Amino acid sequence: MRRKSQTPRRAWVEDEPLARSPKRAFGVIAASLVLLGGTLGAVSVGSFEFGAVGSPATQARALPARTPSVAQPSAGSPSPTPTPTPTPTPLPEYVEGEPYIVNGIWLINRTHTVDEKYLVEGPGTDGLQAEASKYYEKMRAAAAKQGHYIYISMGYRSFEEQTEIYARNVRALGKNQKAAAPPGASEHSAGLAADICSQEGCGNNFGASESGKWVAKNAWKYGFILRYPKTKTEITGYQYEPWHFRYIGREHTAAFHEDPELTLEEYLGVE
Ligand SMILES: [Zn+2]
């Protein structure tokens, strides 16, 4: 006889979001808002201080922004000011296993992995870091005003969970699978990515839905980017994921608004 309480098997594919009942989603949101209330004001994304006291992430040293140096004309100079030539600051050196922060953005991908000790659950909605959660909630409220009821099917994911999911995907799809990140290479484990669903659906159904289109169009206003665009699998190493959004902060998203197929790797000028 089968037991009714048997836990359903998890999906093979890393980011195939698991449908969640709206009732449960609202419960999570309500609980998260309480959490959020206690954490607002304790964040500074530029220096990556998430306000999580004792968090290893706070040890990540923020590197100065790559601001082009501008030559200042001397006072009273009769010659016209030449157009300044931006001098790109060299990229910071990547030390394997250490957080790789470029221009204030923590880059996590297959070539820039991070040790488990730096990956901590955030205090926000579904384990997002405080600032990412704050802006996710703003986006969710704005979406709801337009009749799009979105929720997160996967926010933070632990290193152990990622290890299991990666192993399962490699067994099922082979070593070159483009669905799951190896442990230490997932933005979910840093609490900086959200897989978004809506009442209209999850996964590719979300991408094709009106609510998915709304999020794709408006996420930049809240500091989020579509992380794995349709035409950039060769750069990102991942298939198109219309549900996976990464928080990088509003000060960085204008370029992604102009070019919705832009990748974070291209924006930062790294692999
Ligand atoms: Zn995801």
Side-chain angles (χ1 to χ4, degrees), residues 66 91 100 102-103 105-113 181 185-187 225-229 231-239 244 246 248 252 255-256 259 261-271:
R66 291 196 292 153
L91 286 166
Y100 189 60
V102 183
N103 205 3
I105 297 173
W106 187 356
L107 179 70
I108 304 175
N109 60 17
R110 283 192 170 101
T111 46
H112 299 89
T113 60
S186 171
E187 297 172 330
I225 58 166
L226 178 77
R227 184 67 177 85
Y228 306 121
T231 61
K232 297 291 174 68
T233 297
E234 279 195 20
I235 291 173
T236 64
Y238 293 92
Q239 62 199 5
H244 180 111
R246 160 72 199 265
I248 59 171
H252 292 291
F256 294 85
D259 177 5
E261 294 286 309
L262 184 66
T263 65
L264 190 54
E265 284 79 7
E266 290 169 305
Y267 176 67
L268 297 175
V270 300
E271 282 185 6

Side-chain angles (χ1 to χ4, degrees), residues 14-15 154 157 188 193-195 228 241 243-244:
E14 177 232 17
D15 267 326
M154 173 57 71
R157 183 191 290 141
H188 285 288
D195 291 341
Y228 306 121
E241 294 193 354
W243 58 88
H244 180 111

